[in-house]
Amino acid sequence: MQYLKIKDAIVEQIEDGMLTARQKLPAERKLAEAFDTTRVTLREALSMLEAEGRVYREDRRGWFVSPEPMSYDPTQTLNFTNMALAQQRQPRTELLAAKQVLASKHAAKKLELPPFSDIYRIDRVRYLEERPVLYVTNFIRAELFPDLLERDCSQNSLTDIYREHYGVEYQRIRYRITTSSLQGEIAQVLRATAGTPAMVVERINYSQTGELIDCDIEYWRHDAISIDSIAELSV
Amino acid sequence: MQYLKIKDAIVEQIEDGMLTARQKLPAERKLAEAFDTTRVTLREALSMLEAEGRVYREDRRGWFVSPEPMSYDPTQTLNFTNMALAQQRQPRTELLAAKQVLASKHAAKKLELPPFSDIYRIDRVRYLEERPVLYVTNFIRAELFPDLLERDCSQNSLTDIYREHYGVEYQRIRYRITTSSLQGEIAQVLRATAGTPAMVVERINYSQTGELIDCDIEYWRHDAISIDSIAELSV
DNA sequence: TCTACTCTTTGGACTATACCAATATTTAGG
DNA sequence: CCTAAATATTGGTATAGTCCAAAGAGTAGA
């Protein structure tokens, strides 16, 4: 089982510091030659390391060493930016689209609204150290937040806007974590090849009054996060 | 991009009910021929479906259609068996080992104990409909539960034993969710090929008095679960 | 100095084939 | 009829290439 040796050799180089976080690995052809094997086998080893979160791939750009994952608590209101800063990471957010639309069947169901209701849809990519690691789409009940889109969603966090301008805060969060793979536009924006494994977090948020406010769906580069949380059991 | 067509064709057959949950797909060579391609490409498509959780592989046995995932709430004390039964699934647990050992460095750290402390280590595999989907290892502070191993850990849930015989209950749970891949014995027990992507849940549990009781590490077949939970934010 | 075009390298995708060992199946024997 | 040995099938792993398009590097021109 040659690919095990290749894996181990690469892991060793990472742990010895010969390859450091975010560094690009040599070209596949060169690595294959170095390990005296073919590209197919080499790629098998690399894919396995990718599944383990040790390396990641950027589409048509090559393989890179994964940095430490950021720890993420979906039960905190703490937004991405603050979460990253608290962990000495460099966050950046890019607004892809923010518009008022008619709810798709899927969105309507999650928001518990009749089909074709008015909602806002906000698409964003979030970066850590200039690497795109998260694609989020928010679906928001428009009736609760008139003129939300007039406010600058690219600079301010949604939770801040909710609180400051509408007096609404999250009180209860339902979330669902699954794994899937990246496809199409999402893959592209995350600089991933279609089929790259990913972590999917879906959240539905309720306000102080128990009212459903919004929901989101988050596609994470799976090597970039570790989901960490604490649950207190009310007895 | 041929593998996309193969993927879609298989997904279609699953959704049309021509292939049903837990059913074995035809042999790779036959599928490759049917799609007029090579095994390499065919396997690429299947691996992608595996990453998406639509099919799973049993080592040297072939590819199978994934059933609906079981929903799992790590913040509930509800044990595996009851969780499964509540969702009309057939659970089964197999005890692999239950012994008193000296804490490894890793276990000691997680249990906040000095190295070489006495702990119990319990290894189990858990099945759904006779498919092994979870490999759990529990590390338990031995001082808190004298003669724990005398009790039948294969029949009774740990939480029940804690409560009934020692008056200890979970009050607070820290958990961490990451993705990784299955290797060695764990892969074997789960009938997986080494390198199969997996979901890893690590929990650390504290009692009513805030004392650290035990911790565990869970390796899940990632297509077999969806982690669902609710967080109440205390304001 | 900056931009636009060209050339080279590289990753993505695919073909064709081979060997081995573990399964699964069939066949032979008690 | 059941068990054990022989056989066929199948998945796991690997080799040796090929073609293409995108990315990156280098070059020439404004």
Side-chain angles (χ1 to χ4, degrees):
Chain A
M1 251 109 61
Q2 200 159 352
Y3 72 86
L4 284 181
K5 283 179 199 150
I6 301 175
K7 263 186 55 183
D8 291 346
I10 296 176
V11 167
E12 202 188 307
Q13 290 203 32
I14 293 175
E15 286 175 352
D16 288 1
M18 306 191 43
L19 290 168
T20 62
R22 281 173 282 274
Q23 188 179 333
K24 186 178 184 304
L25 301 188
E28 289 181 1
R29 285 172 176 86
K30 293 203 175 116
L31 278 176
E33 197 185 1
F35 288 112
D36 192 30
T37 183
T38 57
R39 274 179 71 209
V40 180
T41 303
L42 192 260
R43 281 167 70 92
E44 175 131 2
L46 288 172
S47 298
M48 213 157 284
L49 288 173
E50 183 185 36
E52 288 173 35
R54 309 296 305 241
V55 304
Y56 63 93
R57 211 175 1 162
E58 294 207 351
D59 190 47
R60 303 209 138 270
R61 249 167 292 247
W63 300 83
F64 301 81
V65 178
S66 297
E68 279 296 294
M70 181 174 80
S71 110
Y72 167 51
D73 185 345
T75 70
Q76 291 296 121
T77 327
L78 241 205
N79 57 67
F80 179 86
T81 307
N82 291 330
M83 212 174 250
L85 291 174
Q87 294 175 57
Q88 287 83 49
R89 309 288 298 245
Q90 283 172 34
R92 187 166 72 80
T93 298
E94 220 173 275
L95 184 67
L96 296 177
K99 46 192 172 187
Q100 184 154 2
V101 296
L102 299 182
S104 66
K105 204 163 45 176
H106 179 241
K109 194 180 161 205
K110 283 185 66 182
L111 288 176
E112 297 173 15
L113 290 174
F116 309 119
S117 303
D118 267 342
I119 60 168
Y120 301 122
R121 178 190 167 130
I122 300 178
D123 294 298
R124 289 179 289 186
V125 216
R126 316 200 97 155
Y127 297 76
L128 285 179
E129 285 90 38
E130 292 309 308
R131 173 189 175 204
V133 294
L134 167 62
Y135 185 108
V136 215
T137 302
N138 281 274
F139 296 103
I140 305 162
R141 290 179 60 176
E143 353 114 45
L144 299 180
F145 305 98
D147 305 317
L148 178 72
L149 300 184
E150 253 79 290
R151 319 203 176 266
D152 190 357
C153 299
S154 62
Q155 287 309 310
N156 304 293
S157 94
L158 273 177
T159 48
D160 286 352
I161 297 177
Y162 290 167
R163 183 169 11 83
E164 284 167 25
H165 296 88
Y166 302 92
V168 170
E169 261 182 304
Y170 288 164
Q171 222 274 291
R172 179 205 239 168
I173 300 174
R174 296 177 76 113
Y175 60 97
R176 200 172 119 90
I177 301 167
T178 51
T179 55
S180 186
S181 73
L182 301 173
Q183 303 295 338
E185 196 218 325
I186 300 177
Q188 221 165 54
V189 168
L190 294 181
R191 290 190 209 141
T193 311
T196 300
M199 207 135 186
V200 181
V201 179
E202 291 171 88
R203 307 202 316 182
I204 303 177
N205 304 304
Y206 301 84
S207 74
Q208 316 94 295
T209 60
E211 198 171 30
L212 201 164
I213 309 174
D214 66 359
C215 67
D216 73 10
I217 178 156
E218 310 173 5
Y219 292 92
W220 288 86
R221 281 284 208 157
H222 81 284
D223 65 295
I225 51 161
S226 140
I227 293 177
D228 288 290
S229 193
I230 299 181
E232 301 282 349
L233 305 186
S234 41
V235 188
Chain B
M1 250 112 62
Q2 200 159 351
Y3 71 85
L4 284 182
K5 281 178 201 153
I6 301 175
K7 261 186 56 183
D8 291 345
I10 296 177
V11 167
E12 202 188 306
Q13 291 201 31
I14 294 174
E15 286 176 352
D16 288 0
M18 305 191 44
L19 290 168
T20 63
R22 281 173 283 274
Q23 189 178 333
K24 186 177 184 305
L25 301 188
E28 290 181 1
R29 284 172 176 84
K30 295 209 173 110
L31 279 176
E33 199 185 1
F35 288 112
D36 192 31
T37 184
T38 58
R39 273 178 73 207
V40 181
T41 304
L42 192 258
R43 281 168 69 90
E44 176 133 0
L46 288 171
S47 297
M48 214 157 285
L49 288 172
E50 184 186 35
E52 289 173 34
R54 309 296 306 241
V55 304
Y56 64 93
R57 214 178 356 163
E58 294 207 350
D59 190 47
R60 302 208 141 272
R61 251 167 290 249
W63 300 84
F64 302 81
V65 178
S66 297
E68 280 295 293
M70 181 174 80
S71 109
Y72 168 51
D73 185 345
T75 70
Q76 290 299 120
T77 329
L78 241 205
N79 57 67
F80 179 86
T81 307
N82 291 331
M83 212 174 253
L85 291 174
Q87 294 175 56
Q88 286 83 50
R89 309 287 297 245
Q90 284 173 35
R92 187 166 72 82
T93 298
E94 220 173 274
L95 185 66
L96 297 176
K99 46 192 172 187
Q100 185 154 3
V101 296
L102 299 182
S104 65
K105 204 163 46 173
H106 178 243
K109 195 181 160 204
K110 283 186 66 181
L111 288 177
E112 297 173 15
L113 290 173
F116 308 120
S117 304
D118 268 341
I119 60 168
Y120 300 123
R121 178 191 166 128
I122 300 178
D123 295 298
R124 289 180 288 186
V125 216
R126 315 200 98 156
Y127 296 77
L128 285 180
E129 285 90 38
E130 293 308 309
R131 173 190 176 205
V133 294
L134 166 63
Y135 185 108
V136 216
T137 302
N138 282 273
F139 297 105
I140 305 161
R141 290 179 62 177
E143 352 115 46
L144 300 179
F145 306 99
D147 307 316
L148 177 73
L149 299 185
E150 253 79 289
R151 319 202 176 266
D152 190 357
C153 298
S154 63
Q155 287 308 310
N156 303 293
S157 94
L158 274 178
T159 49
D160 286 351
I161 297 177
Y162 289 167
R163 183 169 11 85
E164 284 167 27
H165 297 87
Y166 302 92
V168 171
E169 260 182 305
Y170 288 164
Q171 221 274 291
R172 179 204 238 168
I173 301 175
R174 295 177 76 113
Y175 60 96
R176 200 171 117 90
I177 302 166
T178 50
T179 55
S180 185
S181 73
L182 302 172
Q183 302 295 337
E185 196 217 323
I186 300 177
Q188 219 164 55
V189 168
L190 294 181
R191 290 188 210 143
T193 311
T196 299
M199 207 135 187
V200 181
V201 179
E202 290 172 89
R203 307 200 318 180
I204 303 177
N205 305 304
Y206 301 85
S207 74
Q208 316 93 297
T209 61
E211 198 170 30
L212 201 164
I213 310 174
D214 67 359
C215 67
D216 72 11
I217 178 157
E218 310 174 3
Y219 291 92
W220 289 87
R221 281 284 206 157
H222 81 285
D223 64 293
I225 51 161
S226 139
I227 293 178
D228 288 290
S229 193
I230 298 181
E232 301 282 347
L233 305 187
S234 42
V235 189

